Amino acid sequence: MVSQGIIIYCACVLIGINVGSFLKECFSDTIKRSMKVFIGISAVVIGITTITKGRSLPAIVMALIFGTLIGEVINLDKIVHDFFNRLLSKFKFHIPGDREEYMRFYLTVAVTLCASGANIFGAINEGMTGDGTILISKAVMDVVATMIFATSLGKALNLIVPIQFIILNLCFYSAKIFMPFVSEIMLNDFVAMGGVITFILGLNMAEIKQVKAMNLLPSLILVWATSYIYNLVF
């Protein structure tokens, strides 16, 4: 079985990136910055709304603390930063302005496209039910978002799409194996954790607060365990 939702989603992201790259010279730096802030504020609002779906707040907080601690100890942000830095150099993409500032925004977008709660939940949901509506709906939103991202980051964003495709397919196929053992509460807590990460990504994009969002990603895995244990005990 092939995921139609993932194919449509990744195709829309690819279109958005290349249309935005083509149009980037049409926008001034001021407009690009304003659009980035707008997307960031939108992500903050979406994150807050999604967090309310959580059913076990202590389990979510525990996963966030220990997941971030793991990310900081292994320095996940630096590992991924260096990976994409080498990849961009290998393919000789032009990086405008300050390279480190560019890479910070690039990593924020990478997390947004590859590991946001909505994307992963959409892939899991389609794996369980065969319904790709969530991913297709997200594609409509992200085709616009990626156009805006690409006005600043250019065609180098194309490198994220194959990685995104692999991650979402892993979620899609693993859902068939693991999801029969996952309760509704655990699933809601996972979605809420995705909302926390979306909220933090929004702060980064809007330049309200800079956080190494990549170091938060282990929380998305830990929240399954903390939610299960918390609801088993309490």
Side-chain angles (χ1 to χ4, degrees):
M1 181 181 176
V2 179
S3 168
Q4 293 183 342
I6 293 174
I7 292 172
I8 291 171
Y9 178 77
C10 291
C12 287
V13 168
L14 203 60
I15 291 168
I17 289 170
N18 288 283
V19 171
S21 300
F22 179 75
L23 296 175
K24 68 177 184 177
E25 300 302 330
C26 300
F27 301 100
S28 67
D29 289 341
T30 302
I31 293 176
K32 291 176 186 177
R33 184 176 293 275
S34 296
M35 290 191 296
K36 187 170 73 172
V37 170
F38 171 75
I39 290 291
I41 293 172
S42 300
V44 168
V45 174
I46 292 170
I48 292 171
T49 304
T50 309
I51 290 169
T52 60
K53 298 181 184 296
R55 301 281 292 277
S56 313
L57 183 59
I60 295 168
V61 172
M62 193 180 303
L64 181 63
I65 293 170
F66 286 105
T68 304
L69 181 61
I70 292 170
E72 290 287 342
V73 169
I74 67 174
N75 208 347
L76 184 60
D77 183 83
K78 186 177 187 304
I79 293 170
V80 179
H81 174 284
D82 292 345
F83 169 76
F84 277 114
N85 207 9
R86 287 194 298 268
L87 210 56
L88 292 174
S89 298
K90 182 177 180 180
F91 286 94
K92 296 180 170 58
F93 282 108
H94 171 65
I95 296 180
D98 181 80
R99 189 178 185 91
E100 277 308 307
E101 183 179 344
Y102 178 95
M103 288 305 301
R104 280 198 302 272
F105 185 41
Y106 192 95
L107 291 184
T108 298
V109 174
V111 176
T112 302
L113 296 179
C114 295
S116 76
N119 295 358
I120 293 177
F121 175 70
I124 290 172
N125 183 71
E126 187 175 4
M128 291 172 58
T129 65
D131 183 7
T133 304
I134 294 174
L135 276 175
I136 294 171
S137 300
K138 190 72 167 52
V140 175
M141 296 170 56
D142 281 2
V143 72
V144 177
T146 49
M147 283 176 61
I148 295 172
F149 295 149
T151 59
S152 297
L153 298 174
K155 291 184 177 180
L157 274 183
N158 284 310
L159 295 175
I160 293 175
V161 180
I163 298 170
Q164 176 190 62
F165 183 79
I166 292 169
I167 291 173
L168 294 181
N169 270 287
L170 285 173
C171 296
F172 173 78
Y173 289 109
S174 64
K176 299 177 181 297
I177 301 171
F178 297 109
M179 291 314 292
F181 306 101
V182 173
S183 68
E184 183 182 351
I185 292 176
M186 291 167 65
L187 192 57
N188 284 334
D189 288 344
F190 169 78
V191 171
M193 179 59 70
V196 172
I197 292 176
T198 300
F199 175 83
I200 292 170
L201 289 169
L203 295 180
N204 281 359
M205 288 182 207
E207 299 180 355
I208 297 171
K209 177 70 176 177
Q210 289 301 314
V211 178
K212 293 179 179 178
M214 195 66 68
N215 286 344
L216 306 178
L217 292 187
S219 304
L220 280 174
I221 299 173
L222 279 185
V223 72
W224 297 105
T226 57
S227 178
Y228 173 77
I229 294 170
Y230 178 81
N231 287 285
L232 189 66
V233 174
F234 297 100

